[in-house]
Amino acid sequence: MPQVDVLVYIPRPAAEVFAFLADGCNLARWHSGVADIRAEGVDYLYRFPGRRRETRLARSLCAEGSRVSFLGDRLWTPLGSQSPRHDFRVSPRGEGCHVDIQVTVRLWGGMLALWPVVELGWRRDLPEDARRLYRLLTGGQDPAPSAVARGGGPGRRGGERSRGGGLPLRALLPHRRGVPGPSSG
């Protein structure tokens, strides 16, 4: 499964940022994997960019106040199907918080052959999504180069999470699970 994550420091209270992320209707405002979305009962119906049909997106509060996930139903293509999972982990840091944004995509059928292409797309888009989230929650400010970095969540190069506002600009590219990224030194 392609899995890509980035970490962004947002100078807002963790509870406020979590409340924003836990409302799935906000995804279309900043996340490139959601063209539009609307609530339907406890779930959401959303449209993946380039798709005409709506797909169900189920929300799961994994840890109240710190982790929320959204799991999409299968998106069918002539080559097979894919199911995206969007995970957001929020942790307080100083005057603000760190947000670990992760996308995991499960692939079936011929889509398995496109694994590198799917991952490349998310590796390209997710850092920009994190910047859009930062700008949205800070009133249009551009993030400092060190505010967005490849993720370092639990089980993934965890030492990088504790480095204040993030990593140097050369470390902006997210990494694949188990594959080391650029040196942070």
Side-chain angles (χ1 to χ4, degrees), residues 64-117:
E64 182 63 42
S66 64
R67 183 172 175 216
V68 63
S69 297
F70 295 91
L71 178 62
D73 281 349
R74 282 188 181 188
L75 299 166
W76 297 92
T77 72
L79 294 174
S81 60
Q82 61 178 319
S83 178
R85 180 182 174 116
H86 309 277
D87 289 299
F88 308 107
R89 292 176 188 86
V90 180
S91 56
R93 291 291 186 271
E95 298 292 317
C97 62
H98 275 166
V99 179
D100 187 4
I101 303 168
Q102 183 179 74
V103 173
T104 306
V105 183
R106 186 161 182 203
L107 304 172
W108 289 272
M111 289 295 291
L112 288 169
L114 295 175
W115 175 314
V117 176

Short mmCIF file of all heavy atoms in Angstrom, two decimals, residues 64-117:
data_model
loop_
_atom_site.label_atom_id
_atom_site.label_comp_id
_atom_site.label_asym_id
_atom_site.label_seq_id
_atom_site.Cartn_x
_atom_site.Cartn_y
_atom_site.Cartn_z
N GLU A 64 -9.73 10.72 20.84
CA GLU A 64 -10.43 12.01 20.96
C GLU A 64 -9.44 13.14 21.25
O GLU A 64 -8.64 13.06 22.17
CB GLU A 64 -11.48 11.94 22.08
CG GLU A 64 -12.28 13.21 22.24
CD GLU A 64 -13.10 13.57 21.03
OE1 GLU A 64 -13.72 12.68 20.43
OE2 GLU A 64 -13.13 14.76 20.67
N GLY A 65 -9.50 14.14 20.43
CA GLY A 65 -8.64 15.30 20.61
C GLY A 65 -7.25 15.19 20.01
O GLY A 65 -6.51 16.16 19.99
N SER A 66 -6.88 14.00 19.50
CA SER A 66 -5.53 13.90 18.95
C SER A 66 -5.43 13.13 17.63
O SER A 66 -4.49 13.35 16.87
CB SER A 66 -4.58 13.26 19.97
OG SER A 66 -4.95 11.93 20.24
N ARG A 67 -6.35 12.22 17.33
CA ARG A 67 -6.24 11.47 16.08
C ARG A 67 -7.61 11.20 15.48
O ARG A 67 -8.51 10.71 16.15
CB ARG A 67 -5.53 10.15 16.31
CG ARG A 67 -5.35 9.38 15.02
CD ARG A 67 -4.48 8.16 15.18
NE ARG A 67 -4.45 7.43 13.93
CZ ARG A 67 -4.42 6.12 13.85
NH1 ARG A 67 -4.37 5.39 14.95
NH2 ARG A 67 -4.42 5.53 12.69
N VAL A 68 -7.75 11.52 14.19
CA VAL A 68 -8.98 11.25 13.45
C VAL A 68 -8.59 10.67 12.10
O VAL A 68 -7.57 11.04 11.52
CB VAL A 68 -9.84 12.53 13.30
CG1 VAL A 68 -9.12 13.60 12.49
CG2 VAL A 68 -11.20 12.21 12.70
N SER A 69 -9.40 9.73 11.62
CA SER A 69 -9.14 9.08 10.33
C SER A 69 -10.40 9.13 9.48
O SER A 69 -11.52 9.11 10.01
CB SER A 69 -8.75 7.62 10.53
OG SER A 69 -7.56 7.51 11.25
N PHE A 70 -10.20 9.16 8.18
CA PHE A 70 -11.30 9.10 7.21
C PHE A 70 -10.95 8.00 6.22
O PHE A 70 -9.91 8.05 5.57
CB PHE A 70 -11.45 10.44 6.47
CG PHE A 70 -11.87 11.57 7.36
CD1 PHE A 70 -10.92 12.37 7.98
CD2 PHE A 70 -13.21 11.83 7.57
CE1 PHE A 70 -11.30 13.42 8.79
CE2 PHE A 70 -13.60 12.88 8.39
CZ PHE A 70 -12.64 13.67 9.00
N LEU A 71 -11.84 7.00 6.10
CA LEU A 71 -11.62 5.89 5.20
C LEU A 71 -12.62 5.96 4.07
O LEU A 71 -13.84 5.96 4.31
CB LEU A 71 -11.75 4.55 5.94
CG LEU A 71 -11.59 3.30 5.10
CD1 LEU A 71 -10.19 3.23 4.48
CD2 LEU A 71 -11.87 2.05 5.93
N GLY A 72 -12.11 6.03 2.85
CA GLY A 72 -12.97 6.10 1.68
C GLY A 72 -13.32 4.73 1.14
O GLY A 72 -12.51 3.80 1.21
N ASP A 73 -14.55 4.60 0.61
CA ASP A 73 -14.94 3.37 -0.08
C ASP A 73 -14.08 3.22 -1.32
O ASP A 73 -13.41 4.16 -1.77
CB ASP A 73 -16.41 3.43 -0.49
CG ASP A 73 -17.35 3.13 0.67
OD1 ASP A 73 -16.88 2.69 1.73
OD2 ASP A 73 -18.57 3.36 0.49
N ARG A 74 -14.13 2.05 -1.91
CA ARG A 74 -13.35 1.78 -3.11
C ARG A 74 -13.73 2.72 -4.25
O ARG A 74 -14.91 2.96 -4.51
CB ARG A 74 -13.56 0.36 -3.58
CG ARG A 74 -12.80 -0.66 -2.81
CD ARG A 74 -12.93 -2.00 -3.49
NE ARG A 74 -12.22 -3.01 -2.75
CZ ARG A 74 -12.03 -4.23 -3.19
NH1 ARG A 74 -12.53 -4.60 -4.36
NH2 ARG A 74 -11.37 -5.09 -2.47
N LEU A 75 -12.72 3.24 -4.92
CA LEU A 75 -12.89 4.03 -6.13
C LEU A 75 -12.54 3.11 -7.30
O LEU A 75 -11.40 2.65 -7.40
CB LEU A 75 -11.95 5.24 -6.12
CG LEU A 75 -12.14 6.23 -4.97
CD1 LEU A 75 -10.94 7.17 -4.88
CD2 LEU A 75 -13.41 7.01 -5.17
N TRP A 76 -13.50 2.83 -8.14
CA TRP A 76 -13.29 1.88 -9.23
C TRP A 76 -12.77 2.57 -10.47
O TRP A 76 -13.16 3.68 -10.80
CB TRP A 76 -14.62 1.18 -9.55
CG TRP A 76 -15.11 0.38 -8.40
CD1 TRP A 76 -15.96 0.80 -7.43
CD2 TRP A 76 -14.74 -0.94 -8.06
NE1 TRP A 76 -16.17 -0.19 -6.50
CE2 TRP A 76 -15.42 -1.29 -6.88
CE3 TRP A 76 -13.90 -1.89 -8.65
CZ2 TRP A 76 -15.29 -2.52 -6.27
CZ3 TRP A 76 -13.78 -3.13 -8.04
CH2 TRP A 76 -14.46 -3.44 -6.87
N THR A 77 -11.85 1.89 -11.17
CA THR A 77 -11.31 2.34 -12.45
C THR A 77 -11.30 1.12 -13.38
O THR A 77 -11.46 -0.01 -12.92
CB THR A 77 -9.87 2.87 -12.33
OG1 THR A 77 -8.99 1.77 -12.10
CG2 THR A 77 -9.73 3.88 -11.21
N PRO A 78 -11.09 1.31 -14.67
CA PRO A 78 -11.00 0.16 -15.57
C PRO A 78 -9.84 -0.79 -15.21
O PRO A 78 -9.88 -1.97 -15.53
CB PRO A 78 -10.75 0.80 -16.94
CG PRO A 78 -11.34 2.15 -16.83
CD PRO A 78 -11.09 2.57 -15.41
N LEU A 79 -8.84 -0.29 -14.49
CA LEU A 79 -7.69 -1.11 -14.13
C LEU A 79 -7.83 -1.84 -12.79
O LEU A 79 -7.03 -2.70 -12.46
CB LEU A 79 -6.43 -0.25 -14.08
CG LEU A 79 -5.97 0.32 -15.40
CD1 LEU A 79 -4.81 1.26 -15.18
CD2 LEU A 79 -5.56 -0.81 -16.34
N GLY A 80 -8.80 -1.46 -12.00
CA GLY A 80 -8.94 -2.02 -10.66
C GLY A 80 -9.56 -0.99 -9.76
O GLY A 80 -10.34 -0.16 -10.20
N SER A 81 -9.19 -1.01 -8.49
CA SER A 81 -9.77 -0.05 -7.57
C SER A 81 -8.75 0.36 -6.52
O SER A 81 -7.70 -0.27 -6.36
CB SER A 81 -11.01 -0.64 -6.90
OG SER A 81 -10.67 -1.80 -6.17
N GLN A 82 -9.09 1.46 -5.83
CA GLN A 82 -8.26 1.96 -4.75
C GLN A 82 -9.16 2.48 -3.63
O GLN A 82 -10.29 2.90 -3.90
CB GLN A 82 -7.32 3.06 -5.24
CG GLN A 82 -8.02 4.28 -5.79
CD GLN A 82 -7.03 5.34 -6.22
OE1 GLN A 82 -6.05 5.58 -5.52
NE2 GLN A 82 -7.28 5.98 -7.34
N SER A 83 -8.65 2.42 -2.43
CA SER A 83 -9.38 2.93 -1.27
C SER A 83 -8.42 3.77 -0.44
O SER A 83 -7.46 3.26 0.12
CB SER A 83 -9.92 1.76 -0.43
OG SER A 83 -10.59 2.25 0.70
N PRO A 84 -8.67 5.10 -0.37
CA PRO A 84 -7.77 5.98 0.38
C PRO A 84 -8.16 6.07 1.85
O PRO A 84 -9.33 6.00 2.22
CB PRO A 84 -7.96 7.33 -0.30
CG PRO A 84 -9.38 7.29 -0.77
CD PRO A 84 -9.66 5.85 -1.13
N ARG A 85 -7.15 6.21 2.69
CA ARG A 85 -7.36 6.48 4.12
C ARG A 85 -6.56 7.72 4.47
O ARG A 85 -5.36 7.79 4.20
CB ARG A 85 -6.89 5.30 4.96
CG ARG A 85 -7.08 5.55 6.44
CD ARG A 85 -6.57 4.39 7.27
NE ARG A 85 -6.65 4.71 8.66
CZ ARG A 85 -7.41 4.08 9.53
NH1 ARG A 85 -8.16 3.07 9.15
NH2 ARG A 85 -7.41 4.45 10.79
N HIS A 86 -7.22 8.69 5.06
CA HIS A 86 -6.59 9.95 5.46
C HIS A 86 -6.53 9.97 6.99
O HIS A 86 -7.57 9.89 7.65
CB HIS A 86 -7.40 11.15 4.97
CG HIS A 86 -7.73 11.08 3.51
ND1 HIS A 86 -6.85 11.49 2.54
CD2 HIS A 86 -8.83 10.64 2.86
CE1 HIS A 86 -7.40 11.31 1.35
NE2 HIS A 86 -8.60 10.80 1.52
N ASP A 87 -5.32 10.04 7.54
CA ASP A 87 -5.12 10.06 8.99
C ASP A 87 -4.52 11.40 9.40
O ASP A 87 -3.59 11.88 8.75
CB ASP A 87 -4.17 8.96 9.45
CG ASP A 87 -4.78 7.59 9.34
OD1 ASP A 87 -5.79 7.35 10.01
OD2 ASP A 87 -4.25 6.76 8.59
N PHE A 88 -5.03 11.95 10.50
CA PHE A 88 -4.50 13.21 11.04
C PHE A 88 -4.24 13.03 12.52
O PHE A 88 -5.14 12.67 13.28
CB PHE A 88 -5.50 14.35 10.82
CG PHE A 88 -5.96 14.46 9.39
CD1 PHE A 88 -7.23 14.07 9.03
CD2 PHE A 88 -5.11 14.93 8.41
CE1 PHE A 88 -7.67 14.15 7.72
CE2 PHE A 88 -5.53 15.02 7.09
CZ PHE A 88 -6.81 14.64 6.74
N ARG A 89 -2.99 13.27 12.92
CA ARG A 89 -2.61 13.19 14.34
C ARG A 89 -2.17 14.58 14.78
O ARG A 89 -1.30 15.18 14.15
CB ARG A 89 -1.47 12.20 14.52
CG ARG A 89 -1.85 10.77 14.27
CD ARG A 89 -0.64 9.86 14.37
NE ARG A 89 -0.96 8.52 13.94
CZ ARG A 89 -0.91 8.10 12.68
NH1 ARG A 89 -0.54 8.91 11.72
NH2 ARG A 89 -1.23 6.87 12.38
N VAL A 90 -2.75 15.07 15.84
CA VAL A 90 -2.46 16.41 16.35
C VAL A 90 -1.82 16.28 17.72
O VAL A 90 -2.34 15.59 18.60
CB VAL A 90 -3.76 17.25 16.45
CG1 VAL A 90 -3.45 18.64 16.98
CG2 VAL A 90 -4.46 17.32 15.10
N SER A 91 -0.68 16.95 17.91
CA SER A 91 -0.02 16.93 19.22
C SER A 91 0.45 18.34 19.57
O SER A 91 1.05 19.03 18.76
CB SER A 91 1.15 15.94 19.22
OG SER A 91 2.06 16.24 18.19
N PRO A 92 0.17 18.76 20.80
CA PRO A 92 0.57 20.11 21.23
C PRO A 92 2.09 20.27 21.20
O PRO A 92 2.83 19.35 21.56
CB PRO A 92 0.06 20.20 22.67
CG PRO A 92 -0.90 19.09 22.84
CD PRO A 92 -0.52 18.03 21.86
N ARG A 93 2.56 21.42 20.75
CA ARG A 93 3.98 21.76 20.74
C ARG A 93 4.12 23.25 21.00
O ARG A 93 3.77 24.07 20.15
CB ARG A 93 4.64 21.45 19.39
CG ARG A 93 4.77 19.99 19.06
CD ARG A 93 5.80 19.32 19.98
NE ARG A 93 6.05 17.95 19.60
CZ ARG A 93 5.37 16.90 20.03
NH1 ARG A 93 4.35 17.06 20.84
NH2 ARG A 93 5.69 15.69 19.65
N GLY A 94 4.58 23.60 22.18
CA GLY A 94 4.76 25.02 22.52
C GLY A 94 3.45 25.77 22.42
O GLY A 94 2.43 25.36 22.96
N GLU A 95 3.47 26.89 21.69
CA GLU A 95 2.28 27.73 21.51
C GLU A 95 1.33 27.18 20.46
O GLU A 95 0.24 27.71 20.27
CB GLU A 95 2.70 29.15 21.11
CG GLU A 95 3.55 29.85 22.14
CD GLU A 95 2.77 30.18 23.40
OE1 GLU A 95 1.62 30.64 23.28
OE2 GLU A 95 3.31 29.95 24.49
N GLY A 96 1.73 26.15 19.73
CA GLY A 96 0.92 25.61 18.65
C GLY A 96 0.83 24.09 18.72
O GLY A 96 0.76 23.52 19.82
N CYS A 97 0.86 23.46 17.56
CA CYS A 97 0.77 22.01 17.52
C CYS A 97 1.40 21.46 16.24
O CYS A 97 1.56 22.17 15.25
CB CYS A 97 -0.68 21.56 17.61
SG CYS A 97 -1.72 22.11 16.24
N HIS A 98 1.78 20.21 16.30
CA HIS A 98 2.24 19.48 15.12
C HIS A 98 1.05 18.68 14.60
O HIS A 98 0.31 18.08 15.38
CB HIS A 98 3.36 18.51 15.47
CG HIS A 98 4.70 19.15 15.48
ND1 HIS A 98 5.79 18.53 16.02
CD2 HIS A 98 5.14 20.33 15.00
CE1 HIS A 98 6.85 19.32 15.89
NE2 HIS A 98 6.47 20.40 15.28
N VAL A 99 0.90 18.65 13.28
CA VAL A 99 -0.12 17.83 12.65
C VAL A 99 0.60 16.87 11.71
O VAL A 99 1.30 17.30 10.79
CB VAL A 99 -1.14 18.68 11.86
CG1 VAL A 99 -2.18 17.79 11.19
CG2 VAL A 99 -1.81 19.70 12.77
N ASP A 100 0.44 15.58 11.96
CA ASP A 100 0.98 14.55 11.09
C ASP A 100 -0.15 14.18 10.13
O ASP A 100 -1.20 13.70 10.56
CB ASP A 100 1.41 13.34 11.91
CG ASP A 100 2.14 12.28 11.09
OD1 ASP A 100 2.39 12.50 9.89
OD2 ASP A 100 2.47 11.22 11.67
N ILE A 101 0.05 14.45 8.85
CA ILE A 101 -0.95 14.19 7.81
C ILE A 101 -0.47 12.97 7.04
O ILE A 101 0.61 12.98 6.48
CB ILE A 101 -1.10 15.39 6.86
CG1 ILE A 101 -1.45 16.65 7.64
CG2 ILE A 101 -2.13 15.08 5.78
CD1 ILE A 101 -1.33 17.92 6.82
N GLN A 102 -1.29 11.93 7.00
CA GLN A 102 -0.88 10.69 6.35
C GLN A 102 -1.97 10.21 5.40
O GLN A 102 -3.15 10.27 5.73
CB GLN A 102 -0.62 9.62 7.41
CG GLN A 102 -0.13 8.31 6.84
CD GLN A 102 0.12 7.33 7.95
OE1 GLN A 102 -0.82 6.79 8.53
NE2 GLN A 102 1.37 7.11 8.27
N VAL A 103 -1.55 9.75 4.23
CA VAL A 103 -2.46 9.13 3.28
C VAL A 103 -1.94 7.73 3.01
O VAL A 103 -0.77 7.54 2.69
CB VAL A 103 -2.55 9.93 1.95
CG1 VAL A 103 -3.37 9.17 0.93
CG2 VAL A 103 -3.15 11.30 2.20
N THR A 104 -2.83 6.75 3.15
CA THR A 104 -2.53 5.36 2.83
C THR A 104 -3.55 4.94 1.79
O THR A 104 -4.75 5.17 1.96
CB THR A 104 -2.67 4.46 4.08
OG1 THR A 104 -1.85 5.01 5.12
CG2 THR A 104 -2.25 3.04 3.78
N VAL A 105 -3.08 4.33 0.71
CA VAL A 105 -3.97 3.93 -0.36
C VAL A 105 -3.87 2.41 -0.55
O VAL A 105 -2.78 1.89 -0.80
CB VAL A 105 -3.64 4.65 -1.68
CG1 VAL A 105 -4.64 4.27 -2.76
CG2 VAL A 105 -3.62 6.16 -1.49
N ARG A 106 -4.99 1.74 -0.42
CA ARG A 106 -5.03 0.30 -0.68
C ARG A 106 -5.44 0.09 -2.13
O ARG A 106 -6.42 0.69 -2.59
CB ARG A 106 -6.02 -0.37 0.26
CG ARG A 106 -5.99 -1.85 0.14
CD ARG A 106 -6.60 -2.52 1.33
NE ARG A 106 -6.48 -3.95 1.13
CZ ARG A 106 -7.24 -4.82 1.71
NH1 ARG A 106 -8.18 -4.44 2.54
NH2 ARG A 106 -7.07 -6.10 1.49
N LEU A 107 -4.67 -0.71 -2.84
CA LEU A 107 -4.89 -0.93 -4.27
C LEU A 107 -5.31 -2.37 -4.55
O LEU A 107 -4.84 -3.29 -3.87
CB LEU A 107 -3.61 -0.60 -5.04
CG LEU A 107 -3.04 0.80 -4.85
CD1 LEU A 107 -1.69 0.92 -5.52
CD2 LEU A 107 -4.00 1.84 -5.38
N TRP A 108 -6.14 -2.55 -5.58
CA TRP A 108 -6.56 -3.87 -6.03
C TRP A 108 -6.43 -3.97 -7.54
O TRP A 108 -6.45 -2.97 -8.25
CB TRP A 108 -8.03 -4.12 -5.68
CG TRP A 108 -8.32 -4.32 -4.24
CD1 TRP A 108 -8.29 -5.50 -3.55
CD2 TRP A 108 -8.70 -3.32 -3.30
NE1 TRP A 108 -8.62 -5.28 -2.23
CE2 TRP A 108 -8.88 -3.96 -2.05
CE3 TRP A 108 -8.90 -1.94 -3.37
CZ2 TRP A 108 -9.26 -3.28 -0.91
CZ3 TRP A 108 -9.27 -1.27 -2.24
CH2 TRP A 108 -9.45 -1.93 -1.02
N GLY A 109 -6.33 -5.20 -8.04
CA GLY A 109 -6.31 -5.46 -9.47
C GLY A 109 -5.11 -4.83 -10.16
O GLY A 109 -4.01 -4.79 -9.63
N GLY A 110 -5.35 -4.33 -11.35
CA GLY A 110 -4.30 -3.71 -12.14
C GLY A 110 -3.72 -2.45 -11.52
O GLY A 110 -2.63 -2.02 -11.90
N MET A 111 -4.44 -1.87 -10.57
CA MET A 111 -3.92 -0.68 -9.89
C MET A 111 -2.63 -0.99 -9.13
O MET A 111 -1.82 -0.10 -8.89
CB MET A 111 -4.95 -0.09 -8.93
CG MET A 111 -6.15 0.57 -9.61
SD MET A 111 -5.71 2.04 -10.57
CE MET A 111 -5.26 3.16 -9.26
N LEU A 112 -2.43 -2.27 -8.77
CA LEU A 112 -1.19 -2.65 -8.08
C LEU A 112 0.03 -2.33 -8.93
O LEU A 112 1.08 -1.95 -8.41
CB LEU A 112 -1.21 -4.14 -7.72
CG LEU A 112 -2.15 -4.50 -6.58
CD1 LEU A 112 -2.30 -6.02 -6.48
CD2 LEU A 112 -1.66 -3.92 -5.28
N ALA A 113 -0.11 -2.45 -10.25
CA ALA A 113 1.01 -2.14 -11.14
C ALA A 113 1.30 -0.64 -11.16
O ALA A 113 2.40 -0.22 -11.52
CB ALA A 113 0.71 -2.63 -12.56
N LEU A 114 0.32 0.17 -10.77
CA LEU A 114 0.49 1.62 -10.76
C LEU A 114 0.91 2.15 -9.40
O LEU A 114 0.92 3.37 -9.18
CB LEU A 114 -0.80 2.30 -11.21
CG LEU A 114 -1.22 2.03 -12.65
CD1 LEU A 114 -2.57 2.66 -12.94
CD2 LEU A 114 -0.17 2.55 -13.61
N TRP A 115 1.25 1.27 -8.48
CA TRP A 115 1.66 1.66 -7.13
C TRP A 115 2.64 2.83 -7.15
O TRP A 115 2.42 3.84 -6.48
CB TRP A 115 2.25 0.45 -6.43
CG TRP A 115 2.84 0.66 -5.07
CD1 TRP A 115 3.68 1.67 -4.67
CD2 TRP A 115 2.64 -0.14 -3.94
NE1 TRP A 115 4.02 1.51 -3.35
CE2 TRP A 115 3.40 0.40 -2.88
CE3 TRP A 115 1.90 -1.29 -3.70
CZ2 TRP A 115 3.44 -0.17 -1.62
CZ3 TRP A 115 1.95 -1.84 -2.44
CH2 TRP A 115 2.71 -1.28 -1.42
N PRO A 116 3.75 2.76 -7.93
CA PRO A 116 4.71 3.87 -7.91
C PRO A 116 4.10 5.20 -8.38
O PRO A 116 4.45 6.25 -7.86
CB PRO A 116 5.82 3.43 -8.87
CG PRO A 116 5.68 1.94 -8.95
CD PRO A 116 4.22 1.65 -8.78
N VAL A 117 3.19 5.15 -9.33
CA VAL A 117 2.57 6.37 -9.84
C VAL A 117 1.63 6.97 -8.79
O VAL A 117 1.63 8.19 -8.57
CB VAL A 117 1.81 6.08 -11.16
CG1 VAL A 117 1.07 7.32 -11.64
CG2 VAL A 117 2.76 5.56 -12.21
#
